[in-house]
Short mmCIF file of all heavy atoms in Angstrom, two decimals:
data_model
loop_
_atom_site.label_atom_id
_atom_site.label_comp_id
_atom_site.label_asym_id
_atom_site.label_seq_id
_atom_site.Cartn_x
_atom_site.Cartn_y
_atom_site.Cartn_z
N GLU A 161 -20.31 7.42 -0.30
CA GLU A 161 -21.02 8.51 -0.94
C GLU A 161 -21.66 8.05 -2.23
O GLU A 161 -22.76 8.44 -2.61
CB GLU A 161 -20.07 9.67 -1.15
CG GLU A 161 -19.85 10.43 0.11
CD GLU A 161 -18.78 11.50 0.04
OE1 GLU A 161 -18.25 11.78 -1.04
OE2 GLU A 161 -18.48 12.09 1.15
N ALA A 162 -20.90 7.18 -2.96
CA ALA A 162 -21.45 6.66 -4.22
C ALA A 162 -22.76 5.93 -3.97
O ALA A 162 -23.74 6.08 -4.69
CB ALA A 162 -20.43 5.72 -4.90
N ILE A 163 -22.75 5.08 -2.93
CA ILE A 163 -23.95 4.27 -2.61
C ILE A 163 -25.09 5.19 -2.05
O ILE A 163 -26.26 4.95 -2.38
CB ILE A 163 -23.59 3.14 -1.64
CG1 ILE A 163 -22.75 2.07 -2.45
CG2 ILE A 163 -24.81 2.52 -1.01
CD1 ILE A 163 -22.12 1.04 -1.61
N ARG A 164 -24.68 6.20 -1.36
CA ARG A 164 -25.73 7.11 -0.86
C ARG A 164 -26.38 7.83 -2.01
O ARG A 164 -27.60 8.05 -2.04
CB ARG A 164 -25.06 8.13 0.12
CG ARG A 164 -26.06 8.79 1.04
CD ARG A 164 -25.40 9.97 1.75
NE ARG A 164 -24.69 10.86 0.84
CZ ARG A 164 -23.61 11.55 1.12
NH1 ARG A 164 -23.09 11.50 2.30
NH2 ARG A 164 -23.09 12.34 0.22
N ASP A 165 -25.58 8.21 -3.01
CA ASP A 165 -26.09 8.94 -4.17
C ASP A 165 -26.97 8.07 -5.05
O ASP A 165 -27.94 8.51 -5.62
CB ASP A 165 -24.97 9.57 -4.98
CG ASP A 165 -24.31 10.71 -4.19
OD1 ASP A 165 -24.87 11.13 -3.17
OD2 ASP A 165 -23.18 11.13 -4.63
N ASP A 166 -26.57 6.84 -5.23
CA ASP A 166 -27.33 5.95 -6.15
C ASP A 166 -27.08 4.45 -5.74
O ASP A 166 -26.31 3.74 -6.35
CB ASP A 166 -26.81 6.21 -7.62
CG ASP A 166 -27.76 5.57 -8.61
OD1 ASP A 166 -28.56 4.74 -8.27
OD2 ASP A 166 -27.65 5.93 -9.83
N ALA A 167 -27.90 4.08 -4.76
CA ALA A 167 -27.68 2.72 -4.19
C ALA A 167 -28.08 1.68 -5.21
O ALA A 167 -27.37 0.64 -5.31
CB ALA A 167 -28.59 2.61 -2.96
N ASP A 168 -29.08 1.86 -6.02
CA ASP A 168 -29.48 0.83 -6.96
C ASP A 168 -28.42 0.55 -7.99
O ASP A 168 -28.26 -0.60 -8.47
CB ASP A 168 -30.76 1.27 -7.71
CG ASP A 168 -31.96 1.29 -6.80
OD1 ASP A 168 -31.89 0.70 -5.68
OD2 ASP A 168 -33.02 1.85 -7.16
N ARG A 169 -27.69 1.57 -8.29
CA ARG A 169 -26.64 1.37 -9.32
C ARG A 169 -25.36 0.82 -8.66
O ARG A 169 -24.74 -0.09 -9.24
CB ARG A 169 -26.34 2.75 -10.03
CG ARG A 169 -25.22 2.69 -11.03
CD ARG A 169 -25.04 4.01 -11.70
NE ARG A 169 -23.91 4.03 -12.60
CZ ARG A 169 -23.37 5.16 -13.11
NH1 ARG A 169 -23.90 6.29 -12.80
NH2 ARG A 169 -22.35 5.13 -13.91
N PHE A 170 -24.95 1.42 -7.55
CA PHE A 170 -23.56 1.09 -7.08
C PHE A 170 -23.50 0.00 -6.01
O PHE A 170 -22.50 -0.70 -5.98
CB PHE A 170 -22.93 2.38 -6.53
CG PHE A 170 -22.70 3.39 -7.61
CD1 PHE A 170 -23.20 4.67 -7.54
CD2 PHE A 170 -21.95 3.05 -8.73
CE1 PHE A 170 -22.95 5.59 -8.57
CE2 PHE A 170 -21.74 3.97 -9.79
CZ PHE A 170 -22.26 5.27 -9.68
N ALA A 171 -24.54 -0.17 -5.19
CA ALA A 171 -24.48 -1.23 -4.22
C ALA A 171 -24.27 -2.63 -4.83
O ALA A 171 -23.33 -3.33 -4.39
CB ALA A 171 -25.69 -1.22 -3.26
N PRO A 172 -25.09 -2.96 -5.84
CA PRO A 172 -24.83 -4.34 -6.47
C PRO A 172 -23.46 -4.42 -7.12
O PRO A 172 -22.82 -5.48 -7.15
CB PRO A 172 -25.94 -4.43 -7.50
CG PRO A 172 -26.92 -3.33 -7.26
CD PRO A 172 -26.20 -2.26 -6.48
N LEU A 173 -22.97 -3.28 -7.65
CA LEU A 173 -21.65 -3.27 -8.31
C LEU A 173 -20.52 -3.59 -7.35
O LEU A 173 -19.67 -4.37 -7.61
CB LEU A 173 -21.49 -1.94 -9.03
CG LEU A 173 -20.31 -1.74 -9.96
CD1 LEU A 173 -20.43 -2.74 -11.10
CD2 LEU A 173 -20.38 -0.29 -10.50
N VAL A 174 -20.58 -2.89 -6.20
CA VAL A 174 -19.57 -3.10 -5.15
C VAL A 174 -19.67 -4.55 -4.68
O VAL A 174 -18.65 -5.27 -4.56
CB VAL A 174 -19.77 -2.13 -3.99
CG1 VAL A 174 -18.84 -2.49 -2.79
CG2 VAL A 174 -19.54 -0.72 -4.42
N GLN A 175 -20.89 -5.02 -4.45
CA GLN A 175 -21.10 -6.35 -3.93
C GLN A 175 -20.54 -7.42 -4.91
O GLN A 175 -19.84 -8.38 -4.51
CB GLN A 175 -22.61 -6.57 -3.82
CG GLN A 175 -23.02 -7.28 -2.63
CD GLN A 175 -24.44 -6.91 -2.21
OE1 GLN A 175 -25.13 -6.15 -2.92
NE2 GLN A 175 -24.95 -7.40 -1.11
N ARG A 176 -20.88 -7.23 -6.21
CA ARG A 176 -20.42 -8.19 -7.19
C ARG A 176 -18.90 -8.23 -7.29
O ARG A 176 -18.26 -9.28 -7.39
CB ARG A 176 -21.03 -7.85 -8.57
CG ARG A 176 -21.09 -9.00 -9.50
CD ARG A 176 -22.00 -8.74 -10.72
NE ARG A 176 -21.73 -7.45 -11.31
CZ ARG A 176 -22.65 -6.44 -11.54
NH1 ARG A 176 -23.87 -6.62 -11.05
NH2 ARG A 176 -22.36 -5.35 -12.12
N THR A 177 -18.30 -7.05 -7.26
CA THR A 177 -16.85 -6.95 -7.36
C THR A 177 -16.19 -7.68 -6.19
O THR A 177 -15.19 -8.42 -6.38
CB THR A 177 -16.36 -5.45 -7.36
OG1 THR A 177 -17.15 -4.79 -8.36
CG2 THR A 177 -14.91 -5.36 -7.60
N LEU A 178 -16.77 -7.51 -5.01
CA LEU A 178 -16.22 -8.18 -3.78
C LEU A 178 -16.37 -9.67 -3.88
O LEU A 178 -15.43 -10.42 -3.65
CB LEU A 178 -16.93 -7.68 -2.57
CG LEU A 178 -16.53 -6.24 -2.15
CD1 LEU A 178 -17.49 -5.70 -1.09
CD2 LEU A 178 -15.07 -6.26 -1.57
N VAL A 179 -17.53 -10.12 -4.32
CA VAL A 179 -17.75 -11.58 -4.39
C VAL A 179 -16.76 -12.19 -5.40
O VAL A 179 -16.18 -13.25 -5.18
CB VAL A 179 -19.22 -11.89 -4.77
CG1 VAL A 179 -19.41 -13.36 -5.15
CG2 VAL A 179 -20.16 -11.52 -3.63
N ASP A 180 -16.53 -11.47 -6.51
CA ASP A 180 -15.53 -11.98 -7.53
C ASP A 180 -14.14 -12.02 -6.91
O ASP A 180 -13.33 -12.81 -7.36
CB ASP A 180 -15.50 -10.95 -8.70
CG ASP A 180 -16.68 -11.18 -9.64
OD1 ASP A 180 -17.45 -12.13 -9.44
OD2 ASP A 180 -16.81 -10.38 -10.58
N CYS A 181 -13.85 -11.07 -6.06
CA CYS A 181 -12.46 -10.97 -5.50
C CYS A 181 -12.19 -11.90 -4.29
O CYS A 181 -11.07 -12.15 -3.94
CB CYS A 181 -12.16 -9.60 -5.07
SG CYS A 181 -11.88 -8.45 -6.50
N LEU A 182 -13.27 -12.46 -3.67
CA LEU A 182 -13.09 -13.27 -2.49
C LEU A 182 -12.08 -14.40 -2.71
O LEU A 182 -11.19 -14.60 -1.91
CB LEU A 182 -14.43 -13.78 -1.96
CG LEU A 182 -15.28 -12.75 -1.19
CD1 LEU A 182 -16.60 -13.41 -0.72
CD2 LEU A 182 -14.50 -12.18 0.01
N PRO A 183 -12.27 -15.19 -3.81
CA PRO A 183 -11.26 -16.30 -4.03
C PRO A 183 -9.85 -15.80 -4.23
O PRO A 183 -8.88 -16.51 -3.92
CB PRO A 183 -11.79 -16.99 -5.25
CG PRO A 183 -12.97 -16.27 -5.75
CD PRO A 183 -13.33 -15.18 -4.79
N LEU A 184 -9.73 -14.53 -4.66
CA LEU A 184 -8.38 -14.00 -4.91
C LEU A 184 -7.70 -13.60 -3.60
O LEU A 184 -6.52 -13.70 -3.42
CB LEU A 184 -8.40 -12.83 -5.87
CG LEU A 184 -9.17 -13.05 -7.21
CD1 LEU A 184 -9.19 -11.80 -8.05
CD2 LEU A 184 -8.52 -14.17 -7.92
N ILE A 185 -8.59 -13.20 -2.63
CA ILE A 185 -8.01 -12.90 -1.27
C ILE A 185 -7.52 -14.20 -0.68
O ILE A 185 -6.38 -14.28 -0.21
CB ILE A 185 -9.12 -12.30 -0.38
CG1 ILE A 185 -9.60 -10.91 -0.96
CG2 ILE A 185 -8.70 -12.18 1.09
CD1 ILE A 185 -10.78 -10.26 -0.25
#
Side-chain angles (χ1 to χ4, degrees):
E161 286 173 4
I163 287 170
R164 199 191 51 208
D165 291 348
D166 194 344
D168 289 347
R169 178 178 174 192
F170 295 123
L173 191 58
V174 172
Q175 223 153 2
R176 201 166 50 238
T177 309
L178 285 166
V179 170
D180 283 353
C181 286
L182 285 177
L184 307 180
I185 296 174

